[in-house]
Structures are given as C-alpha cells and as structure tokens.
Amino acid sequence: MAQKVAVLGTGKIGEALLSGMLRGGWPPAQLLVTARRPERAAELRLRHGVEAVSNIEAAEVADILILTVKPQDMGVLLDELAPHLPTDRLVISGAAGIPTAFVEERLPAGTPVVRVMTNTPALVDEAMSVISAGSHATETHLAHTEEIFNGVGKTLRVPESQQDATTALSGSGPAYFYYLVEAMTDAGILLGLPRDKAHDLIVQAAIGAAVMLRDSGEHPVKLRENVTSPAGTTINAIRELENHGVRAALIAALEAARDRSRELASGT
C-alpha cells in the first residue's frame, strides 16, 4: 500500500476497483484517477476523496497504472503515455481482447504488463478477475495485481493463451445469467405469476444454486440430479431444454464471444 496507483479511464469498472481498494484500506492519498470529462473527474474526487489528474501526470507519478479504457481507445492512450512512462512502472490492462504484446510494443522496452479480465460483479465485490503476465511481468507484479483485484472478488491466474476463453466464459458471463433470469421471469408471468414475484423467486433460486455450487464441492450434475426426481417436474423441464438445444446454443454462444475477443485483438 506504499505504492501509488492510478486508474485511467475511470468508468464503472474502474470506479468499482477504486472503491474496492478504499474499502480494503488503501489511503485515498495513494490513489489517482483520470477521466475524459472534467465533470466526471470532479465527481470521482468528491465521491471518493482521491486526486484526479491527467493521463500524463499519472504516468509520471504512479507506481501502478490500471488501464480501464475501451479496447478501441487503448492505442491512443498508450501513445499518450509512452513518452512519460518510466520502465519500472507496472501497467495493468483491463481492455477485452487486447494482448500484452500490443501494450508492450507501444510502451518503453521492458515495461511490465499484466492483462486482466474482470466482470461487472466487481460493483458488489463478487468479481471474477483473470490475470496473465506479459513477457516482462514477474511474480511480484502478479502479486500486486492480485492484491488490487482481490478487493472486489476473486482472482485466477491463467496463461494468456486462455484469456479469450475466459473473456467469453467469465467476462461476459454475468450477461448470460441475466438473460436466463429474464427468460425465466417471462415464463413465470406466462404461468400466472406477477412479474415481481416471478423475479424474486428466480433471483433467490439463482443465489441459492450459486452458493451450493461454490460451497458444496459437488459436481453440477450431482446437484442437478438431487433436484430431478423420476417422472417428476424437473426431468420434464430438462427434456424440453435438451429438445430445444439449449446446451448446444450456450456452447455456440461462448464460442462466438471468444471469436469476437480474438477479433478485437486483431483490430477487426
């Protein structure tokens, strides 16, 4: 915590990281933010008590820079930072589909880069953040990254070759669950329930199932079988899901997300 950390391009995810670090005990004086709009910078300063600076100032004074801009804005940001960035700075990239090589080749030679894919549950301290080391990042750099992202959930290290897959599975993952909850809520309405009651039933079922998956150590097949009685209601529902190809559709959807992550990396 003696290090100074700057969050560049502080949108929702960037602000979630910032607030997580503050809750975790980081002094506001050790945290910096940058924002494209002055009114956004003023909002962050007022809300969190941190200093808002320019991207160049952040590069010059921060020990760790967390880049939370959109993938299409990353090249411009790196070009702005490069002339002002000492090589001993740790750069953490959170842009989907952007490989560490893309970042490294635009910054001074030898700059340590760590790639992170987190997700929106960072807003409620339940993120899953997947981290990969660039060619100059050490164990110490990975540990610093974990220290930051553990404040908003869990972290997992993977080889960078697996980042597109984890982006599809985890980075985009919450959206799939929201989509299923939306569909199941509509089904509840079709079956005669008011929307608010259908919503509450599905959300609590989702929370309970997730906690059981996390805490029981059981395989999801085993947990599903525990709910599936012979000739009962659940097996009839499962049959319809299989008949409509839901499993195959989910696999195809994740493949499409992975492919789009690869396209982002290639600049398509």
Side-chain angles (χ1 to χ4, degrees):
M1 293 184 187
Q3 293 183 313
K4 192 176 286 289
V5 178
V7 182
L8 281 68
T10 314
K12 288 185 178 180
I13 291 294
E15 186 174 8
L17 287 172
L18 176 70
S19 61
M21 284 187 283
L22 289 166
R23 288 190 300 275
W26 288 78
Q30 296 300 116
L31 301 174
L32 305 171
V33 296
T34 79
R36 179 176 298 177
R37 296 178 292 107
E39 58 270 26
R40 173 62 174 165
E43 177 186 359
L44 292 166
R45 186 187 303 112
L46 180 64
R47 183 179 299 164
H48 300 289
V50 297
E51 185 180 0
V53 298
S54 69
N55 291 331
I56 292 174
E57 288 176 293
E60 292 174 340
V61 303
D63 301 291
I64 300 174
L65 285 78
I66 307 174
L67 314 184
T68 62
V69 298
K70 295 178 181 179
Q72 58 267 32
D73 297 329
M74 183 62 80
V76 173
L77 175 61
L78 294 172
D79 290 342
E80 182 182 7
L81 297 176
H84 308 278
L85 189 71
T87 57
D88 61 347
R89 303 299 197 250
L90 168 59
V91 175
I92 300 173
S93 170
I98 301 297
T100 56
F102 178 94
V103 180
E104 289 169 347
E105 67 188 17
R106 285 162 176 78
L107 295 179
T111 300
V113 177
V114 175
R115 178 176 172 181
V116 179
M117 172 48 59
T118 191
N119 55 20
T120 55
L123 297 166
V124 292
D125 293 345
E126 291 292 348
M128 184 72 247
S129 302
V130 183
I131 69 175
S132 302
S135 58
H136 307 296
T138 66
E139 171 63 31
T140 299
H141 297 127
L142 289 172
H144 285 322
T145 305
E146 287 173 331
E147 180 184 9
I148 292 169
F149 283 84
N150 280 338
V152 292
K154 294 185 177 182
T155 59
L156 178 69
R157 297 186 190 186
V158 302
E160 189 170 8
S161 61
Q162 296 177 0
Q163 274 282 0
D164 291 322
T166 61
T167 297
L169 197 64
S170 177
S172 300
Y176 313 145
F177 287 98
Y178 302 146
Y179 182 86
L180 289 172
V181 168
E182 179 187 3
M184 293 173 74
T185 301
D186 287 344
I189 295 169
L190 179 66
L191 297 175
L193 292 170
R195 177 174 291 277
D196 59 340
K197 288 185 172 58
H199 175 82
D200 289 347
L201 287 167
I202 296 304
V203 169
Q204 186 56 38
I207 293 170
V211 171
M212 289 186 70
L213 278 167
R214 184 191 65 191
D215 295 348
S216 71
E218 296 282 1
H219 193 281
V221 170
K222 175 64 175 176
L223 293 174
R224 178 175 60 78
E225 287 176 346
N226 290 343
V227 189
T228 309
S229 304
T233 58
T234 306
I235 192 60
N236 275 271
I238 296 295
R239 180 188 62 184
E240 289 303 312
L241 292 172
E242 295 292 350
N243 287 342
H244 286 81
V246 172
R247 186 188 303 266
L250 284 170
I251 292 172
L254 267 69
E255 288 180 327
R258 178 209 56 197
D259 294 345
R260 181 53 182 156
S261 182
R262 290 174 176 173
E263 290 172 356
L264 290 169
S266 66
T268 307

